[in-house]
Amino acid sequence: MLIVPEREIADLMTREAAFDAVEKVFAAMAAEDAYNFDVIREAIGHEDALYGFKGGFDRAGLTLGLKAGGYWPNNLEKRGLINHQSTVFLFDPDTGKAKAMVGGNLLTALRTAAASSVSIKHLARKDARVMGMVGAGHQATFQLRAALEQRDFEKVIGWNYHAEMLPNIEKVANEAGVPFEAVPLEGMVEADVVISITSTFAPTIMVDHISAGTHIACMGTDTKGKQEVAAALLRRSTVFTDEIAQSISIGEAQHAIADGLIKQSDVHQLGAVINGAHPGRRSADEITLFDGTGVGLQDLAVASAVVDLAVEKGIAIEVDF
Ligand code: NAD
């Protein structure tokens, strides 16, 4: 069995490799070559932790396994550790033997950023120039860094509930050589692409905040009850997602479906656009909305890519298991 420790991931994994792995696995999911298993998520009654498993099998890429982990809210204060902790386990689909154990913390951020980037590549207008960010936490920096590679953006505008966090994303914009401006939520109308990546349970982005022709990637809602955008915005948009079953149960679409504003058949797989089975954006003034809920197959895809890179570079630790 191979081990790729968390400390090695930053030097091994590139945004390009994460993007390719996620784009391929979304395509495989839409072609029904890959499927996710039901998600297990448990409040374990210890350290207020939420722990769970996300797994799947990709017949096309021959990737089988799971990501185990979750959220330990006291880690940072009590132990100086990050609160999100996860590990990916890969298995040989021919034999069931354990194949690799891979640190999953940085990979989670990279695969989540890759998902919104893939949506921007396939759904945003080609002439998009203003990038809008709602959210400025840990994931937001990865999201922005990856998104800026998808179009010739000339400006980043940002809003965050905790305004004091905005310098996190301003720094990323500046490093990419793109000017940054903090705006009120109403100012988001200037954006051609918006990413929302917050942990809110009440919608902050309303229909009036998003202009015709915008692509919005909603990346924060990954649990029942969370909500970043008004349900009415989903009715106004063409809705895409990584996986329909998750979108309607734990993603943004859960609310629009519950309110009777859209039907399950109104939610389309991004993979179908990648495969050419769905036309994607049909006009310059259509609003496209990607409901990125985060699937286990994304984790397996990037972990598998990083194992290959670690083997290539002689960094993977081999243990007799
Ligand atoms: P973080 O704690 O670093 O940042 C939280 C962000 O949410 C900050 O911008 C904060 O200001 C904002 N926020 C908090 N309370 C708010 C409120 N009441 N109203 C509006 N904004 C509020 O968290 P993170 O690691 O950046 O994760 C952000 C979200 O993304 C979480 O909900 C997390 O579960 C989710 N996530 C999704 C995926 C996926 O695959 N879709 C993957 C990883 C994380």
Side-chain angles (χ1 to χ4, degrees):
M1 184 173 84
L2 300 168
I3 297 176
V4 186
E6 184 67 44
R7 64 171 184 274
E8 303 289 3
I9 308 290
D11 288 338
L12 282 171
M13 197 60 182
T14 61
R15 284 194 295 280
E16 294 72 26
F19 184 99
D20 288 348
V22 169
E23 188 179 47
K24 272 201 192 87
V25 85
F26 282 172
M29 281 162 54
E32 296 186 358
D33 283 333
Y35 74 108
N36 292 288
F37 307 156
D38 287 346
V39 176
I40 307 274
R41 205 166 157 86
E42 294 283 325
I44 59 171
H46 179 74
E47 288 287 352
D48 299 323
L50 274 179
Y51 175 70
F53 312 109
K54 277 188 169 184
F57 178 43
D58 178 357
R59 266 184 294 271
L62 284 183
T63 314
L64 173 69
L66 58 92
K67 178 168 86 167
Y71 188 68
W72 274 257
N74 309 320
N75 271 3
L76 192 61
E77 255 175 50
K78 273 196 185 171
R79 303 183 174 88
L81 292 172
I82 64 169
N83 292 348
H84 286 276
Q85 290 291 336
S86 63
T87 307
V88 181
F89 297 89
L90 299 174
F91 297 85
D92 181 340
D94 296 336
T95 62
K97 264 182 76 72
K99 192 169 151 186
M101 182 168 107
V102 185
N105 295 349
L106 178 57
L107 285 183
T108 299
L110 291 172
R111 64 76 146 150
T112 307
S116 59
S117 272
V118 170
S119 84
I120 294 168
K121 172 181 166 186
H122 291 280
L123 295 171
R125 292 188 341 264
K126 295 275 181 283
D127 64 352
R129 292 294 174 267
V130 179
M131 175 72 220
M133 287 297 299
V134 175
H138 180 68
Q139 302 291 335
T141 57
F142 291 90
Q143 292 282 322
L144 179 58
R145 199 168 286 129
L148 289 175
E149 288 163 355
Q150 293 307 316
R151 293 289 186 271
D152 293 327
F153 288 109
E154 290 167 357
K155 179 157 109 169
V156 176
I157 58 176
W159 179 88
N160 195 46
Y161 182 73
H162 303 100
E164 69 279 8
M165 292 167 82
L166 281 171
N168 293 341
I169 52 171
E170 177 168 17
K171 184 165 173 267
V172 174
N174 290 343
E175 280 167 6
V178 185
F180 176 85
E181 190 189 323
V183 294
L185 263 176
E186 294 70 28
M188 276 298 143
V189 290
E190 202 197 332
D192 302 309
V193 174
V194 174
I195 292 178
S196 61
I197 181 87
T198 66
S199 51
T200 181
F201 281 76
T204 45
I205 302 176
M206 302 298 158
V207 174
D208 291 353
H209 298 150
I210 300 296
S211 296
T214 300
H215 172 63
I216 171 163
C218 304
M219 304 304 296
T221 296
D222 55 359
T223 304
K224 210 168 175 46
K226 280 188 187 171
Q227 184 174 13
E228 295 193 283
V229 307
L233 185 59
L234 278 84
R235 187 182 169 87
R236 168 90 177 76
S237 310
T238 310
V239 181
F240 299 86
T241 188
D242 39 25
E243 179 163 293
I244 292 167
Q246 288 197 183
S247 170
I248 64 171
S249 57
I250 59 169
E252 281 300 327
Q254 63 179 295
H255 308 287
I257 296 259
D259 294 353
L261 295 176
I262 62 167
K263 301 183 298 299
Q264 179 171 332
S265 56
D266 294 322
V267 183
H268 311 282
Q269 275 185 296
L270 178 57
V273 181
I274 300 168
N275 290 336
H278 187 289
R281 166 176 293 280
R282 290 186 176 93
S283 74
D285 56 10
E286 180 176 6
I287 297 175
T288 51
L289 183 149
F290 175 62
D291 185 7
T293 62
V295 294
L297 282 169
Q298 270 172 274
D299 297 298
L300 305 188
V302 290
S304 176
V306 96
V307 170
D308 290 346
L309 289 166
V311 169
E312 215 173 273
K313 297 198 170 169
I315 287 170
I317 301 165
E318 192 158 4
V319 292
D320 193 13
F321 181 76

